Amino acid sequence: MMNEENGSSSSSSSSLVSDDGGDIENLDLLDGRRRTCSQPLLSKRKNTTSQIAIVGSNLCSIESLDYEMFENEIFRQDWRSAKKVQVFQYVVLKWAFALLIGIVTGLVGFFNNIAVENIAGFKLLLTTALMSDKKYYKAFAAYAAINVALAAAAAALCAFIAPAAAGSGIPEVKAYLNGVDAHSILAPSTLFVKIFGSILGVSAGFVVGKEGPMVHTGACIASFLGQGGSRKYHLTWSWLRYFKNDCDRRDLITCGAAAGVAAAFRAPVGGVLFALEEAASWWRSALLWRTFFTTAVVAIVLRGFIQYCTTGNCGLFGEGGLIMYDVSAAGATYSGPDILAVLFLGTVGGFLGSIYNYFVNKVIRTYSIIHEKGAAPKILLVITIALLTSCLSYGLPWFAECQPCPTDESVSCPTVGKSGNYKSFNCPSGYYNDLASLFLNTNDDAIRNLFSTSTKKEFHISSLFIFFASIYCLGIITYGIAIPSGLFIPVILAGACYGRLVGRLFESISTLDTGLFALLGAASFLGGTMRMTVSLCIILLELTNDLLLLPLVMLVLLISKTVADNFNKGIYDQIVKIKGLPYLEAHAEPYMRQLVTADVATGPLVTFSGIEKVGRILDALRTTGHNGFPVIDEPPFSDAPELCGLVLRSHLLILLKGKVFSRERVVCEEEILGRFAAFNFAKAGSGKGIKVEDLDIEEQEMDMYVDLHPITNASPYTVVETMSLAKAAILFRQLGLRHLCLVPKSQGRPPIVGILTRHDFMPEHILGLYPHIKAHKS
C-alpha cells in the first residue's frame, strides 16, 4: 500500500543497492558458497508495512548499467543542437576506436606470444641442457624453481594489485555485456595484471591458456579507450567524451572481446562469432560490421609481426603463421565406421566435459574459502599447484618407455634446441620419450604434437592415457587459483589427447588420421565444457586449416553439447553464478509464468516531486542506496498526481553539486539548461563519479527547492503491475533496462506502485519469496 505521508510503496529490492559497485572478491560466503546478489535475506514474504522494507531486499553492491537511452530535457537539447560535423565526428570516432582496439589488442596478443615462447623456451632449453649432461636433479631443481618463481610473481600481481584479474575473465566480460556493473573488472590495473600475470602463469607451466585472459584484455583495452582514459593515471583525452555512456562502451567492449579471441587463436571470424554467440547479450548489424572490422585489423597486425619474426628476430617465436595447428595435409575422407567412431567420441566427450565442469565448480568454491583468508594463502596455494605440476611434468616421463626414432629422414629425431615431437629426455641416441614430448613443451606445442598427422604410432597408448589423466586433473585443480588463467587450452589439450587415444583404439575400423581424431576430441571436449557450437566450429577450422573436416566437427560439437546439457550448465555460466553476478538469461524460467510483476516487488519506494526540497533529496541519497527515483508531478503543476518520469542518483548528485536552487517552489528549467550540458552528466570512469560525501550543502540551502524536470527521464519503460513476470523478464533483458516501472491497473491509486531491477528477476530472490514454487518448476 502507498504510504500517503512519505510516498513509499512496494518497490524493487534491488533499489536498495549501491551504484558504486563492489569488488567481486568481497562477496559474502555462506558455507563455502558465494551468495548471489539476488539472494533474499528472508525466505518468507511479509505483508506488514514495517517488515516489507526488509523482506527480499538485497544488499549486494553490484548494480546494472544504464544501457537505456535516457531522454531528459538536457539530452534532448543536446541532440537538437548537434551539428552535422559533430555527428560525422562521432561516426568517424566509432570506426577509429574499432581500428585502435584492433591494433592495440593485436600488439598485446603478439607480445603475449613472444614473451611466453621465450620465457618458457629458456626454461625448457636450460632443463634439456642439464639433462643432456646427466644432471637430472639439477635439471629438476632448475625447472621447478623457475616455475615456482614465475607462479609466485603472477600470484603476487593478482593478490596485491588486481584480484579481479584472476581467472579467465570471460564470465566477467559476459556479465558486463549483460548489464552487470561489477567493480574493477575492466580497470587499468586489471588490464596490467591480466597481461603480465597471464604471461607469467602460462610460462610457469600451469595447465592454463592465455586465450581467456586475452578476451578480458581486449575488453579492458576497449573500456580504457571508451571512458576517455584514466584520470587516476593522468591519461585522459577530452575528445573521447562522446563515448562516456554505457551504451557506446558496451559496443566497444564487444569489439574488444572479439578482438581478444582473434588475437589469441588467430581466428578473426571465430572472434566475431564468439562475441555473438557467447559474450554479447545484445546484437545488431552495425555492431557486426564494426566487430568484423576490428578482428580483421587484429589478423593483419598479427600477420605483419609474425612475418617479421620468421626472419629470426623474435627469439624462439615465429613458427606457424596465422594457422596454429595445420592438419590440412591429412586426407579427410571418411565412411560409415568413421561416423560411428565420431558418434562415440562426441558422446563420451560430452559426458567427460560435464564431469569436468562439475569438479571445476567444486574446486572454485573450495578455493574461494582460501582466498577469503588474504593474500598469503592465495600465493601459497599457487606455489603448491606449481610444485605439483612441476613434479608431474618432470616425473611422469620417467615411467615411459623410450621409443625408436622414425626412419623418415625428413624428421629431426630427437628434437634438440627447439620444440618438436621427439624429446630425448633420458633416452639414448636414436630414441625419444613420447611422454616428455608432451609434458616438457609449452601447451601450444603439446597440442601441435597431438594434432600432428601421419604419426599414428608416435605416442604409445599408455603414454596418452597417463597424459590425459594428468592434464584432466591438473586442469581442474589449477583453474580457480589466483592467476590469470584460460580454460580453452587445458580443454583442447585434454580433448586432443582423448581424441588421439580413441583414434588409436578405433584404428582397426577407422581410416581417419589420428591427428584428425585429436582435433575431433578437442571439439568434443570444448562442446562438453563450454556449450558453444558455431563459434567453436569456426575457431577450430581457422586454427587447423581443414575445411573438409567441417561436417564431422559440427556433428561432434552438437552431440557433445546435447549430452552435456543433460547434466549441468556450461562452465562460464557456472562461474558467473559462483561469483554472484546477477546475470539475466535470454529465456524466462518456467515458474515465472505463475507470478506477476507486483508479486516480486518489495519496498519501500522513495519518490520525489517535480520540484523538490534539497534537504529531502539529500536525506534520501544519504539514507538509501536507491539508484532510480520516480518523479511525480502534483497540483498545482498538474491536474492530478501523474508520473513525470525517473531520475538517476548520479544525475541528482551532479545537479545538487551545481547548486541551482530557488527559495520558492517554481520552475527553473531555463536556468538549469543554461548551466548544464549533456556532457556534464556523462558517465565517469570506474569509481570516479560524485558521491554524497562530495556534496557541500549549507544549512540554509536545505530548505530551498530544486527543479528536477530537466534531468528526469520523461519516457521510462513502464508495465502494468499485472503483467506476467516471465514476459517482463524477457522485455527487461531485450531492452537492456536498469529500471522497469510498475504502474497500477486501476485508477484512483498512486501513478507508480513499484520499480523492478535485474535483482528482482534472479531465481534466488523469487524462490526466496515463494519457496513453494520450487515444487512446480518444470
Side-chain angles (χ1 to χ4, degrees):
M1 294 294 292
M2 176 72 76
N3 186 312
E4 294 179 358
E5 182 179 349
N6 57 22
S8 65
S9 77
S10 63
S11 168
S12 166
S13 63
S14 54
S15 295
L16 301 176
V17 300
S18 167
D19 188 44
D20 296 329
D23 194 333
I24 296 173
E25 294 293 318
N26 295 328
L27 296 182
D28 295 335
L29 277 168
L30 297 175
D31 301 325
R33 298 181 296 110
R34 291 194 182 278
R35 180 176 65 82
T36 64
C37 293
S38 50
Q39 184 167 338
L41 302 180
L42 295 179
S43 60
K44 298 183 76 174
R45 187 173 189 175
K46 310 292 184 183
N47 293 321
T48 62
T49 305
S50 61
Q51 293 170 321
I52 199 168
I54 300 176
V55 179
S57 69
N58 149 5
L59 302 178
C60 172
S61 55
I62 298 178
E63 247 293 351
S64 294
L65 295 161
D66 295 304
Y67 288 158
E68 178 187 351
M69 188 67 69
F70 209 80
E71 295 182 342
N72 60 33
E73 192 56 38
I74 289 179
F75 283 95
R76 285 201 189 103
Q77 179 177 267
D78 182 65
W79 296 333
R80 288 192 295 263
S81 62
K83 299 177 182 178
K84 288 185 178 181
V85 66
Q86 292 176 307
V87 176
F88 177 75
Q89 187 180 17
Y90 171 70
V91 173
V92 169
L93 278 176
K94 283 200 293 188
W95 287 96
F97 269 129
L99 176 66
L100 275 174
I101 292 168
I103 291 173
V104 176
T105 307
L107 290 174
V108 171
F110 172 75
F111 173 71
N112 278 4
N113 277 306
I114 197 171
V116 168
E117 290 291 331
N118 283 281
I119 294 173
F122 168 79
K123 174 189 69 179
L124 294 171
L125 288 176
L126 176 62
T127 305
T128 303
L130 290 171
M131 290 202 66
S132 63
D133 294 335
K134 310 297 182 183
K135 299 176 181 177
Y136 299 125
Y137 291 107
K138 285 187 177 180
F140 172 70
Y143 179 74
I146 294 173
N147 282 345
V148 168
L150 293 171
L157 287 175
C158 278
F160 294 112
I161 299 178
S168 168
I170 292 179
E172 288 85 349
V173 173
K174 182 177 177 179
Y176 183 93
L177 294 176
N178 188 258
V180 177
D181 189 13
H183 179 63
S184 76
I185 64 171
L186 299 175
S189 57
T190 304
L191 172 61
F192 172 81
V193 173
K194 207 72 182 185
I195 294 173
F196 291 98
S198 175
I199 291 171
L200 294 170
V202 175
S203 301
F206 284 117
V207 184
V208 298
K210 52 186 179 292
E211 287 68 23
M214 268 307 303
V215 175
H216 196 177
T217 297
C220 287
I221 291 169
S223 175
F224 180 78
L225 293 173
Q227 68 183 26
S230 171
R231 292 179 185 174
K232 180 179 178 182
Y233 300 102
H234 306 291
L235 296 171
T236 58
W237 303 278
S238 59
W239 53 274
L240 301 181
R241 64 185 182 275
Y242 295 103
F243 298 90
K244 286 184 175 289
N245 63 81
D246 288 327
C247 191
D248 281 319
R249 285 185 195 172
R250 175 187 66 191
D251 291 351
L252 290 174
I253 289 167
T254 302
C255 291
V261 174
F265 291 110
R266 307 175 199 171
V269 179
V272 177
L273 293 175
F274 173 85
L276 171 62
E277 182 179 7
E278 181 67 12
S281 295
W282 296 278
W283 198 263
R284 62 184 191 281
S285 58
L287 183 58
L288 175 66
W289 278 101
R290 225 163 32 249
T291 308
F292 186 74
F293 172 69
T294 306
T295 57
V297 172
V298 172
I300 293 170
V301 170
L302 285 176
R303 168 60 74 182
F305 279 95
I306 291 172
Q307 195 69 30
Y308 170 75
C309 285
T310 55
T311 59
N313 295 321
C314 300
L316 300 171
F317 179 74
E319 299 287 332
L322 281 181
I323 306 299
M324 293 178 71
Y325 314 117
D326 196 331
V327 298
S328 59
T333 56
Y334 38 87
S335 57
D338 298 321
I339 301 297
L340 291 176
V342 169
L343 292 175
F344 173 82
L345 197 71
T347 303
V348 177
F351 180 68
L352 291 174
S354 64
I355 295 176
Y356 191 91
N357 287 4
Y358 173 81
F359 284 110
V360 166
N361 187 312
K362 297 299 181 184
V363 166
I364 293 176
R365 292 180 186 274
T366 303
Y367 286 171
S368 67
I369 302 174
I370 299 173
H371 292 168
E372 291 294 323
K373 300 183 184 298
K378 288 182 182 181
I379 298 173
L380 186 61
L381 177 61
V382 171
I383 291 174
T384 303
I385 300 297
L387 279 173
L388 176 62
T389 304
S390 300
C391 290
L392 291 177
S393 299
Y394 188 86
L396 288 177
W398 289 93
F399 296 97
E401 295 183 3
C402 293
Q403 307 288 329
C405 287
T407 56
D408 187 357
E409 295 182 358
S410 62
V411 175
S412 175
C413 180
T415 304
V416 180
K418 61 178 182 178
S419 62
N421 291 34
Y422 307 101
K423 294 283 185 181
S424 60
F425 196 63
N426 61 333
C427 297
S429 178
Y431 288 81
Y432 71 97
N433 188 310
D434 57 349
L435 205 49
S437 301
L438 296 174
F439 273 117
L440 294 181
N441 255 324
T442 63
N443 292 333
D444 285 350
D445 287 333
I447 294 172
R448 189 174 289 109
N449 291 346
L450 289 168
F451 279 1
S452 60
T453 56
S454 303
T455 55
K456 180 178 292 187
K457 304 290 185 181
E458 177 185 347
F459 300 104
H460 196 272
I461 290 180
S462 61
S463 297
L464 290 172
F465 182 79
I466 292 171
F467 185 72
F468 169 72
S470 303
I471 294 300
Y472 191 87
C473 295
L474 283 174
I476 290 172
I477 65 173
T478 302
Y479 193 83
I481 60 176
I483 62 168
S485 52
L487 275 169
F488 272 99
I489 288 300
V491 171
I492 292 175
L493 193 57
C497 188
Y498 153 72
R500 198 170 182 102
L501 188 60
V502 171
R504 291 294 304 273
L505 296 176
F506 279 84
E507 61 185 355
S508 59
I509 63 169
S510 176
T511 58
L512 276 179
D513 191 281
T514 50
L516 299 183
F517 264 108
L519 170 61
L520 294 172
S524 72
F525 252 55
L526 286 168
T529 55
M530 299 179 184
R531 315 295 162 83
M532 293 180 279
T533 51
V534 179
S535 57
L536 285 179
C537 183
I538 299 303
I539 287 172
L540 288 172
L541 293 179
E542 288 185 283
L543 271 175
T544 56
N545 194 31
D546 194 354
L547 192 60
L548 295 176
L549 212 60
L550 174 63
L552 294 185
V553 173
M554 293 172 65
L555 181 63
V556 79
L557 280 170
L558 288 170
I559 293 172
S560 61
K561 180 185 185 303
T562 303
V563 170
D565 278 340
N566 290 303
F567 297 98
N568 50 35
K569 288 188 174 183
I571 187 64
Y572 295 133
D573 292 325
Q574 292 190 39
I575 295 171
V576 164
K577 187 171 184 179
I578 292 171
K579 287 182 176 290
L581 299 171
Y583 184 87
L584 287 174
E585 298 290 349
H587 61 276
E589 296 292 341
Y591 55 77
M592 289 185 179
R593 302 190 193 104
Q594 305 174 38
L595 301 171
V596 296
T597 53
D599 291 331
V600 297
T602 53
L605 179 66
V606 178
T607 64
F608 294 137
S609 299
I611 301 174
E612 186 60 82
K613 270 192 175 183
V614 173
R616 187 172 183 276
I617 296 174
L618 196 59
D619 182 64
L621 294 176
R622 285 174 175 168
T623 57
T624 73
H626 293 44
N627 288 296
F629 298 88
V631 177
I632 297 176
D633 270 338
E634 297 175 336
F637 299 99
S638 63
D639 296 334
E642 64 180 29
L643 178 63
C644 177
L646 194 75
V647 63
L648 293 181
R649 180 187 190 89
S650 57
H651 291 183
L652 283 171
L653 290 168
I654 294 167
L655 185 63
L656 292 179
K657 194 172 181 65
K659 294 191 175 184
V660 186
F661 306 148
S662 62
R663 296 192 179 278
E664 303 297 329
R665 197 178 184 194
V666 294
V667 175
C668 300
E669 183 172 311
E670 293 300 325
E671 186 178 353
I672 292 175
L673 293 177
R675 175 80 70 87
F676 294 98
F679 177 66
N680 297 118
F681 294 90
K683 182 167 182 177
S686 55
K688 306 298 190 305
I690 299 174
K691 298 179 175 59
V692 180
E693 295 78 17
D694 300 328
L695 299 178
D696 183 22
I697 305 296
E698 298 177 2
E699 188 65 32
Q700 62 268 26
E701 294 173 325
M702 298 291 279
D703 291 326
M704 299 178 73
Y705 293 90
V706 61
D707 188 359
L708 301 182
H709 292 100
I711 65 167
T712 299
N713 180 9
S715 57
Y717 284 94
T718 60
V719 297
V720 69
E721 61 182 338
T722 54
M723 176 183 278
S724 123
L725 189 61
K727 189 175 180 180
I730 294 172
L731 177 73
F732 193 95
R733 187 187 191 272
Q734 288 181 345
L735 294 176
L737 301 181
R738 183 177 186 178
H739 303 99
L740 185 61
C741 299
L742 302 186
V743 296
K745 185 176 182 181
S746 57
Q747 295 181 351
R749 298 173 61 194
I752 181 170
V753 294
I755 297 179
L756 295 182
T757 66
R758 69 173 49 240
H759 299 292
D760 296 296
F761 297 103
M762 293 295 106
E764 293 81 4
H765 171 69
I766 299 169
L767 298 177
L769 296 174
Y770 300 99
H772 64 278
I773 290 182
K774 289 185 179 181
H776 303 288
K777 183 177 177 181
S778 58

